[in-house]
Amino acid sequence: MTAPARLSPGDPAPGFSLPTDGGNQLALADLRGRKVVLYAYPAAMTPGCTKQACDFRDSLASLQAAGYEVVGISPDKPEKLAKFRERDAITFPLVADTDKAVLTAYGAYGEKQMYGRTVTGVIRSTFVIDEEGRIERALYNVKATGHVAKLRRDLGLD
């Protein structure tokens, strides 16, 4: 497997309809007309992913006040996402991409460096999607800790 194709500002955001942590389906088309922060993370209930999800949770009010909806995406099953939501009081939708097709379409699944080795997996990434469904920002290989604060600064919220 080679490095995935990456999205750039202005690209159309790949559409999706995926199961959520709450047992429903969420489609990107359902969010048309709103700005979306879609963030990809490797695995629910791991230390880094928990820190990142809690940072988004704690910043949700200010992100929503600025017109952004937050959605987390991982290859976890909906049942695991429901446990994650409940355990950590996650207050935004988590979607399950168990076959990794959407993560791949966003360039957030493929080869990455981990502890000096090349492995295949989820590339921690964040995508800001505008009201028309186009990529405004595509941030790859972001850090679990401190990323939400940096994103807030980059979006002019702090």
Side-chain angles (χ1 to χ4, degrees), residues 87-100:
R87 186 191 79 176
D88 293 297
I90 306 300
T91 52
F92 52 85
L94 301 172
V95 295
D97 183 22
T98 56
D99 66 2
K100 305 169 193 82

Side-chain angles (χ1 to χ4, degrees), residues 1-7 38-43 49 52 73-75 97 100 102-114 118-127 138-144 147:
M1 181 177 236
T2 58
R6 293 193 164 183
L7 297 174
L38 177 70
Y39 81 97
Y41 61 97
C49 296
Q52 187 178 24
I73 181 172
S74 77
D97 183 22
K100 305 169 193 82
V102 175
L103 289 162
T104 300
Y106 276 81
Y109 185 82
E111 286 186 356
K112 63 180 184 175
Q113 293 297 309
M114 192 168 174
T118 301
V119 298
T120 300
V122 175
I123 299 161
R124 193 180 301 277
S125 309
T126 299
F127 306 93
L139 309 165
Y140 293 93
N141 296 308
V142 301
K143 301 288 183 216
H147 170 64

Side-chain angles (χ1 to χ4, degrees), residues 16 26 28 31 34-41 52 55-56 59-60 62-64 66-73 92-95 106 125-131 134-137 139 142 147-148 151-152 155 157:
F16 61 82
L26 177 69
L28 183 59
L31 301 172
R34 291 180 268 176
K35 296 180 274 191
V36 177
V37 174
L38 177 70
Y39 81 97
Y41 61 97
Q52 187 178 24
D55 282 352
F56 272 113
S59 292
L60 189 62
S62 65
L63 286 164
Q64 287 179 332
Y68 293 93
E69 296 295 329
V70 175
V71 177
I73 181 172
F92 52 85
L94 301 172
V95 295
Y106 276 81
S125 309
T126 299
F127 306 93
V128 179
I129 303 166
D130 71 15
E131 297 90 339
R134 294 206 163 286
I135 299 294
E136 192 175 290
R137 296 170 193 261
L139 309 165
V142 301
H147 170 64
V148 176
L151 179 66
R152 288 170 47 82
L155 294 174
L157 303 179

